[in-house]
Amino acid sequence: MALRFEVLAACGAARRGRLTTPHGTVDTPAFLPVGTAGAVKGVPPQELAASGASILLANLYHLALRPGIDVIERLGGLHRFVGWPGPLLTDSGGFQVWSLGHLRRVDEDGVTFRSHLDGSPLRFTPEGVADWQARLGVDVAMALDECLPWPVTREAAEASWRRTLGWARRSREAWRGPGGLFGIAQGSAFRDLRERAAADLGRLDFDGYAIGGVSVGEPAAERLAAVEWTAPALPASRPRYLMGVGYPADILHAVRHGVDLFDCVLPARNARHGLLFTRHGVLRIKNAAFREDPRPVDAACACPCCSRLSRAFLHHLARAGELTASVLATLHNLRFYLDFMAALRQAIELGTLTELTAMFAIRSTGEDPPDDPHPGSDPESSDPREKRSP
């Protein structure tokens, strides 16, 4: 197998592991910064690495539209094209089945999109998606799946899973890439479908497994339940990936149920709206209370923003609309998330996950912070609720 996963320590169901890929190792639990078009907005690759990122996510749908798979392949593959030497994961485009529902048509063979850029058709099939990701040279590729909206009937969810399972089989047979291929378990909010999906995928012997169809507008209780049902039913010997779930409390909950990998646009997107994560809660830097605040955003953080600048200066930049405010805030939020994952790994080794919850002052309910902006649908990110990568 192109990927190797080993569990180094455990604390209950939580796992401290290591994923070895063709382009390096990833210590898990790990967070994947989302570079939709190959880059996190405002953050160059060297800054991502300096923040502690070990793996980056890019989106196949957007890369296929521009600059195109052929262009990237001719330029030496995705790693060289985006300037990221470490592991890369690409989504399959299945999430756009939900987020761009008005621009696609699903049939038993695949999905036809109308480009959100110019309306031109773009055909996704399990074999085509596997081939594109192999040509990009990614370390982790995702099988094409159908991500359902919320709410959905049981009949529709069951029919969708039969279709996604068929696509998973075809993807597995077609995969010829240098890295590994993950299957994606769906099932919406139906426990038996979730557990059946995990069992069905397990028999296909993927290199890893993902939990999809979460954070598509469902209540927090349904979001948490989907993880609790699905994660323990996935093969324990392979990495488990929760797609698009994003708040620290949600990540901690999933880690406690055996999930290893996470991605979300939330740190970068919220940073652009002036929301910063700290060990004492969410800070809204545009608030007038920070106009003359000389303290760093988070005194325990070593990011470029916190190590040199005050809340007052970041407040000034944000209120003035300076691009630098978004860059600094993004660097801070990413560093917070990556530090949080490092703390999770250490806590699993030491058996102190409960104490970690208190240290980061995060709610264990998985609920969203109040007054989250939810700025509306953006085809460049594909998730109007800021939680899922494109």
Side-chain angles (χ1 to χ4, degrees):
M1 297 180 68
L3 304 180
R4 186 173 73 254
F5 179 69
E6 52 186 330
V7 176
L8 305 177
C11 179
R15 293 126 61 95
R16 161 71 170 97
R18 181 164 295 142
L19 176 64
T20 302
T21 81
H23 286 85
T25 61
V26 180
D27 287 320
T28 64
F31 181 82
L32 290 71
V34 176
T36 302
V40 177
K41 288 181 174 64
V43 182
Q46 63 271 24
E47 291 293 343
L48 283 177
S51 295
S54 59
I55 181 170
L56 178 66
L57 181 148
N59 182 261
L60 188 68
Y61 168 84
H62 292 285
L63 293 174
L65 285 180
R66 58 183 178 191
I69 305 301
D70 292 343
V71 171
I72 298 173
E73 185 179 31
R74 288 195 296 269
L75 290 171
L78 190 59
H79 291 84
R80 181 174 296 178
F81 183 66
V82 305
W84 178 258
L88 276 168
L89 179 150
T90 41
D91 199 353
S92 67
F95 189 66
Q96 276 73 35
V97 173
W98 174 75
S99 66
L100 301 180
H102 59 298
L103 295 174
R104 56 82 176 148
R105 178 176 56 82
V106 178
D107 56 60
E108 292 305 312
D109 191 54
V111 186
T112 301
F113 291 99
R114 285 188 292 112
S115 165
H116 69 276
L117 300 174
D118 58 14
S120 60
L122 185 65
R123 180 67 174 168
F124 276 47
T125 65
E127 295 83 1
V129 164
D131 177 64
W132 285 348
Q133 294 179 93
R135 289 166 60 192
L136 293 177
V138 301
D139 299 270
V140 179
M142 305 304 297
L144 183 64
D145 67 319
E146 181 179 9
C147 183
L148 290 171
W150 173 269
V152 67
T153 66
R154 179 188 170 78
E155 292 73 21
E158 188 163 10
S160 174
W161 173 243
R162 287 196 298 268
R163 180 182 300 118
T164 292
L165 180 61
W167 290 355
R169 290 194 182 102
R170 290 164 55 187
S171 299
R172 193 74 183 95
E173 292 172 1
W175 179 245
R176 298 293 185 272
L181 180 69
F182 280 31
I184 305 174
Q186 294 285 346
S188 190
F190 303 98
R191 179 171 187 165
D192 63 321
L193 291 183
R194 285 280 180 184
E195 293 175 340
R196 186 199 309 175
D200 289 342
L201 284 178
R203 285 188 285 269
L204 295 181
D205 195 30
F206 280 95
D207 299 286
Y209 297 88
I211 302 170
V214 183
S215 284
V216 291
E218 74 277 16
E222 304 286 354
R223 182 170 73 240
L224 300 177
V227 173
E228 293 169 10
W229 299 331
T230 313
L234 293 170
S237 63
R238 305 291 164 82
R240 299 163 176 161
Y241 169 27
L242 180 57
M243 304 182 75
V245 170
Y247 283 110
D250 288 319
I251 291 174
L252 180 55
H253 170 266
V255 165
R256 284 177 162 163
H257 288 84
V259 178
D260 309 295
L261 298 169
F262 303 85
D263 81 272
C264 190
V265 298
L266 182 67
R269 177 80 68 80
N270 268 15
R272 295 194 295 275
H273 291 273
L275 276 73
L276 292 96
F277 292 91
T278 79
R279 288 157 179 80
H280 306 289
V282 177
L283 184 155
R284 292 163 174 79
I285 198 62
K286 292 183 180 180
N287 285 0
F290 303 115
R291 183 179 180 183
E292 297 184 31
D293 192 334
R295 296 172 295 170
V297 169
D298 187 335
C301 178
C303 78
C305 178
C306 293
S307 60
R308 300 189 63 171
L309 303 170
S310 67
R311 297 180 181 186
F313 183 59
L314 194 58
H315 167 86
H316 157 68
L317 293 178
R319 293 297 293 264
E322 288 286 343
L323 177 62
T324 306
S326 294
V327 172
L328 290 169
T330 300
L331 285 170
H332 168 78
N333 278 354
L334 286 174
R335 183 62 178 265
F336 173 87
Y337 267 69
L338 295 167
D339 284 352
F340 177 58
M341 303 312 294
L344 277 172
R345 294 191 293 269
Q346 182 181 54
I348 293 170
E349 293 175 350
L350 300 176
T352 57
L353 280 177
T354 300
E355 290 82 349
L356 181 72
T357 304
M359 182 179 74
F360 276 83
I362 57 179
R363 291 185 297 274
S364 60
T365 60
E367 305 222 350
D368 297 350
D371 304 321
D372 194 37
H374 300 319
S377 182
D378 175 3
E380 287 294 329
S381 72
S382 88
D383 186 356
R385 298 193 75 251
E386 303 194 352
K387 294 196 176 175
R388 173 80 189 260
S389 65

